[in-house]
Amino acid sequence: MADHQEASVTLPSDPASVSAARKYVASVLAEWGLPGDADVADTVRLIVSELATNAVQHTFGQSPTFTVDIALDRDEHLHIGVTDSHPRFPKRLPAAVQQDNGRGMVIIRWLTAECGGRMRVRPTREGGKTVLIELPWTMSAEPVTAGGQQEP
């Protein structure tokens, strides 16, 4: 495998784009050798889904598109970035029992930490932001059977 691989897609800030972003990333990761039924594939799809949802819902129409970038460095680190043109950074919301939404960043932080990765947010030169996730690629990519045991 190459030392560095990357892929990118720009989508309209529309709810239908969340599914398109998830499918795009799953397809690229499959090309890079990650089985679609690996636990980490589900984790990455959920992270991308939450980030894309945030880019659509929380930019209040001020970001007509968002971009999903993924990169794999030396088969060691998977980088996921979702960029939009809205200047407001994500905020941590207080956990409320009755709260119906606003848990996306909590989910993303938890999944990232659970995988041994890290998350950060950085401003773009154009005045928007990128939410960056870095995950170790060394996570098990073995398919998991229904009983939860990895196949030999």
Side-chain angles (χ1 to χ4, degrees), residues 87-116:
R88 186 175 61 125
F89 276 40
K91 294 181 181 178
R92 283 187 189 223
L93 299 177
V97 177
Q98 290 83 19
Q99 191 172 334
D100 290 334
N101 58 19
R103 294 186 183 101
M105 293 305 289
V106 172
I107 292 168
I108 294 164
R109 280 186 184 93
W110 185 85
L111 288 170
T112 301
E114 187 73 15
C115 293

Side-chain angles (χ1 to χ4, degrees), residues 24 28 37 43 74 80 129 144:
Y24 175 79
V28 169
D37 58 351
T43 299
R74 297 180 303 279
I80 305 163
K129 69 188 160 299
V144 176

Side-chain angles (χ1 to χ4, degrees), residues 34-142:
L34 182 66
D37 58 351
D39 284 343
V40 68
D42 288 337
T43 299
V44 170
R45 284 191 296 266
L46 181 53
I47 287 171
V48 168
S49 185
E50 291 294 335
L51 290 173
T53 297
N54 286 351
V56 170
Q57 288 185 345
H58 299 295
T59 58
F60 308 105
Q62 294 181 22
S63 182
T65 63
F66 67 95
T67 301
V68 178
D69 296 297
I70 53 176
L72 180 59
D73 289 326
R74 297 180 303 279
D75 285 343
E76 294 175 5
H77 297 98
L78 178 66
H79 302 270
I80 305 163
V82 175
T83 302
D84 64 60
S85 58
H86 193 280
R88 186 175 61 125
F89 276 40
K91 294 181 181 178
R92 283 187 189 223
L93 299 177
V97 177
Q98 290 83 19
Q99 191 172 334
D100 290 334
N101 58 19
R103 294 186 183 101
M105 293 305 289
V106 172
I107 292 168
I108 294 164
R109 280 186 184 93
W110 185 85
L111 288 170
T112 301
E114 187 73 15
C115 293
R118 63 185 181 142
M119 184 191 98
R120 62 184 196 263
V121 182
R122 70 169 195 227
T124 64
R125 290 183 197 144
E126 298 80 23
K129 69 188 160 299
T130 302
V131 180
L132 296 162
I133 305 295
E134 181 181 311
L135 301 173
W137 184 255
T138 56
M139 295 179 289
S140 173
E142 296 291 325

